[in-house]
Amino acid sequence: AKKSNRSGIVFFNQEVSRHESERQELLYDLSVAIERKTLLLVYQPQFSTADLSLCGVEVLLRWQHPVHGFISPDIFIPIAEKNMLISKLTAFVIEQSYTELAPMLGKEIHRVSINVSALEFSSPALMKALLLHIESQKNYIQYLQLEITETAAISNLGGSVELVAHLRQKGLRLSLDDFGTGFSSLSMLKDLSVDEIKIDRSFVFNLETQPRTQAIITALVGIANNFQISIVAEGVETQAQRQLLHELGCHELQGYLLAPPKPLDQLCSSIEQVRQV
Ligand code: C2E
Ligand code: CA
Ligand code: CA
Ligand code: CA
């Protein structure tokens, strides 16, 4: 028994070190990818429920690893967070998206949503660095919207409260992402004035068969209308969901049904296609 115990422990340690070395390798490769700007941005449009006109785009990161192939942001964002790469990553997303979208801003595109990691939003130092970076992008601020999730953050914003207010005066918008999942909830609506709520896709998924979920969305739409903020449903995949969200009064739709995230050169054609749906 002792023997197998011991070998069990050895095996376990090898497993741990293998995972740890893989993580270290990914971390190194990620820092190189940020440095060389080889990460790719894709854009997913958000459409008005009423007439399917374009309201804005959400920027999402894609990483094509030279050896391991495509790696999901759900894998590499936490790695970046653990190792303080996240600020560099967000700065890259802001700069690169501005470079790519500049010719379309104020014309085809009036709103660009960027994801801010929960860690970044809950650390006063990281948040301050982010806001100062945004402030330096003078001509971009009026189009920018930050998608945020972390509830605990509000009280931690500390010295950044004034900076946030200052940037909002210049047109920066705030959106509560994944609303209803527990990370983004009512207390955040209470404490932080935001411009948009994004209903998490778990509420959209079984909408047709769940009257209780429909009632929740109706209530959220009521709150949004009262606060005069917009409400976006994400993960819209079927015509039935689209129809129901329209009936429930949801303002905007985002999802594979209308357009998946795509590189910029394919964005225009996917917007055109939606007009013909
Ligand atoms: P998120 O912010 O909630 O982004 C929405 C995710 O849903 C995206 O996954 C998008 O591709 C996917 N999606 C869009 N339409 C549909 C649909 O109709 N059905 C389904 N099932 N999914 C849909 P993605 O691109 O893999 O990103 C995953 C998460 O990684 C994002 O969730 C966000 O939290 C994070 N992320 C992505 N890019 C960035 C970034 O630039 N910075 C930060 N901090 N996080 C990012
Ligand atoms: Ca988002
Ligand atoms: Ca989301
Ligand atoms: Ca998410």
Side-chain angles (χ1 to χ4, degrees):
K2 223 176 182 180
K3 231 181 189 177
S4 72
N5 247 350
R6 195 181 284 156
S7 69
I9 289 164
V10 168
F11 177 70
F12 177 71
N13 283 340
Q14 280 171 346
E15 274 298 293
V16 167
S17 65
R18 188 173 64 85
H19 282 127
E20 181 52 29
S21 73
E22 261 174 17
R23 214 181 59 83
Q24 286 300 329
E25 185 204 322
L26 279 186
L27 171 62
Y28 176 75
D29 295 344
L30 183 60
S31 66
V32 170
I34 297 171
E35 213 62 56
R36 295 188 186 156
K37 302 179 191 260
T38 54
L39 295 164
L40 182 74
L41 301 186
V42 289
Y43 301 90
Q44 187 173 34
Q46 299 160 328
F47 299 97
S48 158
T49 311
D51 62 4
L52 294 186
S53 57
L54 183 71
C55 299
V57 294
E58 178 177 2
V59 187
L60 296 158
L61 268 171
R62 294 289 175 266
W63 184 18
Q64 188 71 43
H65 188 281
V67 177
H68 304 297
F70 169 75
I71 298 175
S72 165
D74 285 324
I75 306 280
F76 70 78
I77 295 290
I79 293 178
E81 284 183 332
K82 265 197 204 124
N83 297 278
M84 301 320 251
L85 271 178
I86 192 67
S87 290
K88 274 191 178 174
L89 205 59
T90 308
F92 167 77
V93 172
I94 292 171
E95 272 162 28
Q96 185 66 20
S97 64
Y98 184 46
T99 304
E100 293 181 9
L101 296 175
M104 302 173 82
L105 292 175
K107 295 170 190 143
E108 297 88 345
I109 295 177
H110 296 269
R111 197 180 75 206
V112 182
S113 297
I114 305 267
N115 288 286
V116 176
S117 104
L119 179 84
E120 226 172 344
F121 191 64
S122 50
S123 150
L126 293 183
M127 193 60 186
K128 181 144 197 195
L130 169 69
L131 294 171
L132 288 173
H133 183 249
I134 290 173
E135 195 181 24
S136 72
Q137 312 280 309
K138 293 221 168 2
N139 300 319
Y140 199 16
I141 301 174
Q142 58 178 311
Y143 303 107
L144 263 185
Q145 175 159 269
L146 304 182
E147 295 197 358
I148 53 185
T149 53
E150 187 63 50
T151 317
I154 319 304
S155 50
N156 294 338
L157 263 180
S160 291
V161 173
E162 277 173 27
L163 198 46
V164 171
H166 169 68
L167 290 174
R168 292 193 75 214
Q169 270 176 2
K170 295 188 167 182
L172 180 74
R173 296 165 46 102
L174 297 181
S175 169
L176 290 186
D177 202 357
D178 303 337
F179 195 86
T181 56
F183 296 111
S184 277
S185 58
L186 290 170
S187 66
M188 208 155 167
L189 269 183
K190 179 167 70 64
D191 298 336
L192 186 72
S193 77
V194 296
D195 305 279
E196 178 185 279
I197 294 174
K198 293 188 81 176
I199 303 173
D200 189 68
R201 68 166 177 267
S202 59
F203 288 88
V204 174
F205 188 62
N206 281 325
L207 194 59
E208 299 105 288
T209 55
Q210 294 181 340
R212 295 173 73 92
T213 306
Q214 294 176 26
I216 290 170
I217 290 183
T218 302
L220 288 180
V221 168
I223 292 174
N225 287 338
N226 261 311
F227 287 179
Q228 292 182 301
I229 61 184
S230 54
I231 186 151
V232 183
E234 57 180 9
V236 181
E237 296 183 353
T238 69
Q239 287 289 355
Q241 290 165 354
R242 174 185 158 195
Q243 181 58 36
L244 204 45
L245 286 161
H246 184 49
E247 285 163 19
L248 297 175
C250 185
H251 306 158
E252 295 179 26
L253 306 175
Q254 179 179 356
Y256 296 157
L257 173 71
L258 298 169
K262 284 194 178 151
L264 185 65
D265 57 353
Q266 294 163 45
L267 181 68
C268 300
S269 67
S270 73
I271 295 166
E272 283 303 316
Q273 273 165 23
V274 164
R275 292 225 180 89
Q276 292 153 27
V277 165

